[in-house]
Amino acid sequence: MTPDNAGYYHAAYVAAAVIYVGYAISLRVRLRRLGARVSQIVASNDQA
Amino acid sequence: MTDRIQHHGVDSLATSARGTDWILLSGFAALAAVYVRVIWFTPIEASQGSAQKILYVHATSAFVALYLAFALMAVASALYLWLRDETLDRVAESSAEVGLAFTTVVLITGPLWGKPIWGAWWTWDARLTATLFLWLLILGYLLMRGAIDDRAMRARFSAVLGLLTALLIPFIHLTVYLFRTMHPMPIVLKPSQPSMPPEMQWTFFPSFLALTLLFAGLLRARYRYATLRDAVLDMENAS
Protein backbone atom coordinates (compact mmCIF):
# COMPACT_ATOMS: atom_id res chain seq x y z
CA MET A 1 0.00 0.00 0.00
CA THR A 2 1.31 3.47 -0.91
CA PRO A 3 2.10 5.44 2.28
CA ASP A 4 0.34 8.76 2.89
CA ASN A 5 3.17 11.25 3.49
CA ALA A 6 2.12 14.18 1.31
CA GLY A 7 2.69 16.62 4.19
CA TYR A 8 6.47 16.16 4.01
CA TYR A 9 6.44 16.66 0.25
CA HIS A 10 4.36 19.83 0.50
CA ALA A 11 6.60 21.17 3.28
CA ALA A 12 9.73 20.51 1.17
CA TYR A 13 8.37 22.39 -1.85
CA VAL A 14 7.15 25.31 0.27
CA ALA A 15 10.56 25.51 2.02
CA ALA A 16 12.42 25.48 -1.33
CA ALA A 17 10.18 28.23 -2.74
CA VAL A 18 10.59 30.36 0.40
CA ILE A 19 14.40 30.05 0.28
CA TYR A 20 14.76 30.79 -3.44
CA VAL A 21 12.27 33.67 -3.47
CA GLY A 22 13.59 35.04 -0.16
CA TYR A 23 17.15 35.01 -1.45
CA ALA A 24 16.15 36.76 -4.69
CA ILE A 25 14.30 39.43 -2.67
CA SER A 26 17.33 39.92 -0.40
CA LEU A 27 19.50 40.50 -3.48
CA ARG A 28 16.97 42.98 -4.84
CA VAL A 29 16.90 44.89 -1.54
CA ARG A 30 20.70 45.01 -1.33
CA LEU A 31 20.93 46.26 -4.94
CA ARG A 32 18.32 48.97 -4.28
CA ARG A 33 20.19 50.14 -1.18
CA LEU A 34 23.41 50.40 -3.19
CA GLY A 35 21.57 52.20 -5.99
CA ALA A 36 20.26 54.75 -3.47
CA ARG A 37 23.79 55.18 -2.10
CA VAL A 38 25.15 55.83 -5.62
CA SER A 39 22.47 58.46 -6.27
CA GLN A 40 23.37 60.12 -2.95
CA ILE A 41 27.10 60.23 -3.80
CA VAL A 42 26.51 61.50 -7.33
CA ALA A 43 24.14 64.21 -6.06
CA SER A 44 26.56 65.37 -3.37
CA ASN A 45 29.45 65.47 -5.88
CA ASP A 46 27.33 67.43 -8.38
CA GLN A 47 26.53 69.98 -5.66
CA ALA A 48 30.22 70.31 -4.82
CA MET B 1 36.77 64.89 -15.22
CA THR B 2 37.88 61.29 -14.48
CA ASP B 3 35.67 61.35 -11.38
CA ARG B 4 32.69 62.43 -13.47
CA ILE B 5 33.26 59.61 -15.98
CA GLN B 6 33.62 57.11 -13.12
CA HIS B 7 30.44 58.44 -11.45
CA HIS B 8 28.56 58.24 -14.73
CA GLY B 9 29.66 54.57 -15.13
CA VAL B 10 28.61 53.65 -11.58
CA ASP B 11 25.35 55.57 -11.95
CA SER B 12 24.47 53.67 -15.13
CA LEU B 13 25.44 50.42 -13.38
CA ALA B 14 23.08 51.32 -10.53
CA THR B 15 20.31 52.19 -13.00
CA SER B 16 20.69 48.88 -14.85
CA ALA B 17 20.68 47.01 -11.52
CA ARG B 18 17.29 48.57 -10.72
CA GLY B 19 15.79 47.30 -14.01
CA THR B 20 13.80 44.10 -14.57
CA ASP B 21 15.98 41.00 -14.41
CA TRP B 22 14.53 38.83 -17.17
CA ILE B 23 16.86 35.86 -16.62
CA LEU B 24 15.86 35.71 -12.95
CA LEU B 25 12.16 36.09 -13.79
CA SER B 26 12.49 33.33 -16.42
CA GLY B 27 14.14 31.10 -13.83
CA PHE B 28 11.25 31.57 -11.40
CA ALA B 29 8.69 31.05 -14.19
CA ALA B 30 10.44 27.80 -15.19
CA LEU B 31 10.51 26.70 -11.55
CA ALA B 32 6.77 27.44 -11.23
CA ALA B 33 6.15 25.31 -14.35
CA VAL B 34 8.16 22.49 -12.78
CA TYR B 35 6.07 22.74 -9.60
CA VAL B 36 2.90 22.33 -11.74
CA ARG B 37 4.47 19.33 -13.49
CA VAL B 38 5.51 17.74 -10.16
CA ILE B 39 2.19 18.31 -8.40
CA TRP B 40 -0.29 17.39 -11.14
CA PHE B 41 1.51 15.47 -13.88
CA THR B 42 4.11 13.25 -12.19
CA PRO B 43 3.11 9.81 -10.90
CA ILE B 44 3.40 8.92 -7.21
CA GLU B 45 6.00 6.24 -6.58
CA ALA B 46 4.31 3.14 -5.09
CA SER B 47 6.67 2.23 -2.21
CA GLN B 48 7.66 5.73 -0.98
CA GLY B 49 4.44 7.62 -1.71
CA SER B 50 4.31 11.39 -2.32
CA ALA B 51 7.53 11.98 -0.35
CA GLN B 52 9.52 10.55 -3.29
CA LYS B 53 8.57 13.69 -5.27
CA ILE B 54 10.99 15.61 -3.03
CA LEU B 55 13.65 14.14 -5.35
CA TYR B 56 12.81 16.72 -8.04
CA VAL B 57 13.83 19.65 -5.86
CA HIS B 58 16.36 17.95 -3.53
CA ALA B 59 18.64 16.16 -6.01
CA THR B 60 18.44 18.87 -8.66
CA SER B 61 19.32 21.60 -6.13
CA ALA B 62 22.27 19.44 -5.03
CA PHE B 63 23.44 19.07 -8.66
CA VAL B 64 23.32 22.82 -9.20
CA ALA B 65 25.06 23.59 -5.89
CA LEU B 66 27.86 21.04 -6.21
CA TYR B 67 28.49 20.73 -9.92
CA LEU B 68 27.71 24.28 -11.05
CA ALA B 69 27.95 26.78 -8.17
CA PHE B 70 30.86 25.39 -6.17
CA ALA B 71 32.64 24.09 -9.28
CA LEU B 72 32.46 27.61 -10.74
CA MET B 73 33.68 29.02 -7.42
CA ALA B 74 36.68 26.67 -7.59
CA VAL B 75 37.52 27.49 -11.21
CA ALA B 76 37.19 31.24 -10.63
CA SER B 77 39.32 30.96 -7.46
CA ALA B 78 42.07 29.06 -9.29
CA LEU B 79 42.02 31.55 -12.15
CA TYR B 80 42.15 34.45 -9.67
CA LEU B 81 45.32 33.05 -8.07
CA TRP B 82 46.85 32.90 -11.54
CA LEU B 83 45.58 36.14 -13.15
CA ARG B 84 44.79 38.33 -10.06
CA ASP B 85 41.72 39.72 -11.81
CA GLU B 86 39.10 41.14 -9.38
CA THR B 87 36.30 40.06 -11.74
CA LEU B 88 37.19 36.43 -11.01
CA ASP B 89 37.09 37.07 -7.27
CA ARG B 90 33.60 38.56 -7.63
CA VAL B 91 32.47 35.55 -9.68
CA ALA B 92 33.80 33.17 -7.00
CA GLU B 93 32.15 35.16 -4.20
CA SER B 94 28.81 35.35 -6.03
CA SER B 95 28.84 31.68 -6.96
CA ALA B 96 29.62 30.68 -3.37
CA GLU B 97 26.71 32.69 -1.94
CA VAL B 98 24.19 31.44 -4.52
CA GLY B 99 25.50 27.89 -3.98
CA LEU B 100 24.94 28.32 -0.25
CA ALA B 101 21.24 29.09 -0.93
CA PHE B 102 20.95 25.92 -3.06
CA THR B 103 22.75 23.82 -0.43
CA THR B 104 20.39 25.20 2.23
CA VAL B 105 17.48 23.85 0.16
CA VAL B 106 19.28 20.49 -0.06
CA LEU B 107 19.81 20.36 3.72
CA ILE B 108 16.18 21.24 4.47
CA THR B 109 14.45 19.06 1.87
CA GLY B 110 16.71 16.06 2.64
CA PRO B 111 15.47 15.57 6.22
CA LEU B 112 11.88 16.16 5.03
CA TRP B 113 12.39 13.19 2.71
CA GLY B 114 14.37 11.14 5.22
CA LYS B 115 11.84 11.32 8.06
CA PRO B 116 8.98 9.44 6.33
CA ILE B 117 11.31 6.99 4.52
CA TRP B 118 14.10 6.29 7.05
CA GLY B 119 12.12 7.20 10.17
CA ALA B 120 14.75 9.81 11.14
CA TRP B 121 15.27 13.46 10.25
CA TRP B 122 19.04 13.10 10.22
CA THR B 123 21.79 10.50 10.46
CA TRP B 124 25.47 11.28 10.83
CA ASP B 125 26.46 9.23 7.82
CA ALA B 126 29.17 10.24 5.35
CA ARG B 127 26.99 11.86 2.65
CA LEU B 128 24.87 13.97 5.01
CA THR B 129 27.74 14.95 7.30
CA ALA B 130 30.02 15.92 4.39
CA THR B 131 27.26 18.06 2.86
CA LEU B 132 26.66 19.82 6.18
CA PHE B 133 30.42 20.34 6.50
CA LEU B 134 30.51 21.87 3.00
CA TRP B 135 27.64 24.22 3.94
CA LEU B 136 29.53 25.33 7.07
CA LEU B 137 32.75 25.86 5.10
CA ILE B 138 30.98 28.04 2.53
CA LEU B 139 29.33 30.00 5.34
CA GLY B 140 32.81 30.45 6.87
CA TYR B 141 34.16 31.53 3.47
CA LEU B 142 31.52 34.27 3.21
CA LEU B 143 31.99 35.38 6.83
CA MET B 144 35.75 35.52 6.32
CA ARG B 145 35.25 37.75 3.27
CA GLY B 146 33.24 40.16 5.39
CA ALA B 147 35.98 40.29 8.03
CA ILE B 148 38.87 41.35 5.75
CA ASP B 149 38.96 44.97 4.54
CA ASP B 150 41.98 44.78 2.25
CA ARG B 151 40.52 43.73 -1.09
CA ALA B 152 43.59 41.97 -2.51
CA MET B 153 44.22 40.03 0.70
CA ARG B 154 40.54 39.09 0.96
CA ALA B 155 40.51 37.84 -2.62
CA ARG B 156 43.72 35.80 -2.12
CA PHE B 157 42.60 34.15 1.14
CA SER B 158 39.13 33.50 -0.31
CA ALA B 159 40.57 31.90 -3.44
CA VAL B 160 42.68 29.49 -1.38
CA LEU B 161 39.77 28.61 0.94
CA GLY B 162 37.42 28.29 -2.04
CA LEU B 163 39.78 25.87 -3.78
CA LEU B 164 40.27 23.77 -0.64
CA THR B 165 36.52 23.68 0.01
CA ALA B 166 35.87 22.47 -3.53
CA LEU B 167 37.94 19.34 -2.80
CA LEU B 168 34.86 18.16 -0.91
CA ILE B 169 32.77 17.99 -4.11
CA PRO B 170 34.23 14.74 -5.54
CA PHE B 171 34.39 13.35 -2.00
CA ILE B 172 30.67 14.01 -1.46
CA HIS B 173 29.88 12.40 -4.81
CA LEU B 174 31.83 9.27 -3.90
CA THR B 175 30.64 8.92 -0.27
CA VAL B 176 27.83 6.55 -1.24
CA TYR B 177 30.41 4.21 -2.83
CA LEU B 178 33.13 4.57 -0.19
CA PHE B 179 31.06 4.33 3.00
CA ARG B 180 28.09 2.41 4.30
CA THR B 181 25.36 5.04 4.14
CA MET B 182 21.58 5.30 4.27
CA HIS B 183 21.63 7.77 1.39
CA PRO B 184 20.54 6.10 -1.87
CA MET B 185 23.02 5.40 -4.66
CA PRO B 186 22.99 7.81 -7.65
CA ILE B 187 20.10 7.18 -10.01
CA VAL B 188 21.12 9.77 -12.62
CA LEU B 189 24.82 10.69 -12.32
CA LYS B 190 26.29 7.23 -12.85
CA PRO B 191 28.06 5.45 -15.71
CA SER B 192 24.96 3.46 -16.79
CA GLN B 193 21.54 4.77 -17.91
CA PRO B 194 19.42 6.68 -15.33
CA SER B 195 17.38 4.13 -13.32
CA MET B 196 14.19 6.16 -13.44
CA PRO B 197 11.00 5.65 -15.47
CA PRO B 198 10.64 8.04 -18.48
CA GLU B 199 7.69 9.94 -16.93
CA MET B 200 9.88 10.72 -13.90
CA GLN B 201 12.81 11.68 -16.13
CA TRP B 202 10.46 14.12 -17.88
CA THR B 203 10.08 15.91 -14.55
CA PHE B 204 13.62 15.46 -13.28
CA PHE B 205 15.54 16.92 -16.24
CA PRO B 206 13.26 19.97 -16.75
CA SER B 207 13.57 20.60 -13.02
CA PHE B 208 17.36 20.56 -13.35
CA LEU B 209 17.16 22.97 -16.30
CA ALA B 210 14.78 25.30 -14.42
CA LEU B 211 17.07 25.40 -11.40
CA THR B 212 20.08 25.97 -13.68
CA LEU B 213 18.29 28.97 -15.19
CA LEU B 214 17.42 30.21 -11.71
CA PHE B 215 21.07 29.77 -10.69
CA ALA B 216 22.16 31.84 -13.72
CA GLY B 217 19.69 34.61 -12.79
CA LEU B 218 20.69 34.67 -9.13
CA LEU B 219 24.40 34.55 -10.00
CA ARG B 220 24.03 37.48 -12.40
CA ALA B 221 22.14 39.53 -9.81
CA ARG B 222 24.69 38.71 -7.10
CA TYR B 223 27.59 39.53 -9.43
CA ARG B 224 25.97 42.89 -10.27
CA TYR B 225 25.66 43.58 -6.55
CA ALA B 226 29.35 42.77 -5.96
CA THR B 227 30.45 44.95 -8.89
CA LEU B 228 28.33 47.90 -7.77
CA ARG B 229 29.44 47.50 -4.12
CA ASP B 230 33.13 47.63 -5.11
CA ALA B 231 32.50 50.62 -7.38
CA VAL B 232 30.73 52.48 -4.56
CA LEU B 233 33.63 51.72 -2.20
CA ASP B 234 36.07 53.07 -4.81
CA MET B 235 33.97 56.24 -5.15
CA GLU B 236 33.80 56.72 -1.39
CA ASN B 237 37.55 56.21 -1.03
CA ALA B 238 38.24 58.65 -3.88
CA SER B 239 36.08 61.46 -2.48
Side-chain angles (χ1 to χ4, degrees):
Chain A
M1 199 177 120
T2 305
D4 179 19
N5 48 28
Y8 294 99
Y9 141 65
H10 293 148
Y13 276 80
V14 168
V18 166
I19 291 166
Y20 288 133
V21 172
Y23 181 59
I25 290 171
S26 87
L27 280 177
R28 193 79 189 157
V29 169
R30 283 189 275 172
L31 268 172
R32 272 178 186 266
R33 277 191 197 145
L34 270 182
R37 181 81 193 112
V38 169
S39 306
Q40 210 176 14
I41 294 171
V42 169
S44 67
N45 281 337
D46 283 348
Q47 276 179 346
Chain B
M1 182 68 183
T2 315
D3 275 0
R4 276 197 172 281
I5 292 168
Q6 187 190 10
H7 288 175
H8 179 72
V10 176
D11 203 23
S12 64
L13 199 64
T15 308
S16 74
R18 278 194 291 265
T20 307
D21 193 332
W22 291 107
I23 297 179
L24 194 53
L25 281 180
S26 306
F28 278 115
L31 190 63
V34 164
Y35 269 44
V36 170
R37 167 92 193 152
V38 169
I39 294 166
W40 285 293
F41 301 102
T42 305
I44 294 172
E45 204 263 343
S47 61
Q48 291 197 13
S50 299
Q52 183 273 338
K53 288 188 176 185
I54 294 172
L55 167 85
Y56 307 113
V57 70
H58 173 76
T60 46
S61 295
F63 282 9
V64 171
L66 292 179
Y67 308 121
L68 290 179
F70 298 141
L72 179 61
M73 175 194 73
V75 170
S77 297
L79 287 174
Y80 174 80
L81 289 175
W82 181 29
L83 302 170
R84 305 285 164 158
D85 182 348
E86 279 194 351
T87 304
L88 293 163
D89 177 53
R90 284 195 283 267
V91 169
E93 168 197 3
S94 306
S95 203
E97 192 183 284
V98 178
L100 186 73
F102 278 79
T103 314
T104 305
V105 169
V106 174
L107 287 172
I108 288 174
T109 55
L112 284 165
W113 192 3
K115 178 65 178 166
I117 306 305
W118 301 340
W121 294 104
W122 185 265
T123 65
W124 292 101
D125 81 357
R127 170 63 70 94
L128 278 68
T129 308
T131 307
L132 178 64
F133 189 48
L134 175 71
W135 187 86
L136 288 168
L137 280 172
I138 296 294
L139 187 66
Y141 168 96
L142 293 168
L143 290 173
M144 185 196 74
R145 292 191 65 93
I148 302 174
D149 286 333
D150 183 88
R151 212 185 282 178
M153 184 193 284
R154 180 180 67 198
R156 203 168 61 247
F157 284 10
S158 303
V160 173
L161 183 57
L163 264 178
L164 291 175
T165 302
L167 293 177
L168 268 177
I169 298 170
F171 177 75
I172 290 173
H173 182 77
L174 294 172
T175 45
V176 286
Y177 299 108
L178 298 173
F179 301 94
R180 188 176 293 176
T181 167
M182 286 174 78
H183 195 279
M185 287 289 194
I187 52 171
V188 177
L189 282 183
K190 56 178 188 165
S192 56
Q193 290 278 314
S195 43
M196 192 189 283
E199 58 271 30
M200 289 185 177
Q201 287 184 37
W202 271 104
T203 305
F204 186 87
F205 290 111
S207 174
F208 176 64
L209 289 177
L211 284 172
T212 301
L213 189 60
L214 183 66
F215 167 71
L218 289 170
L219 180 69
R220 185 164 166 266
R222 181 60 179 78
Y223 178 78
R224 276 176 160 185
Y225 167 76
T227 308
L228 191 58
R229 177 203 60 203
D230 289 349
V232 168
L233 283 174
D234 286 342
M235 278 168 68
E236 285 176 341
N237 289 337
S239 59

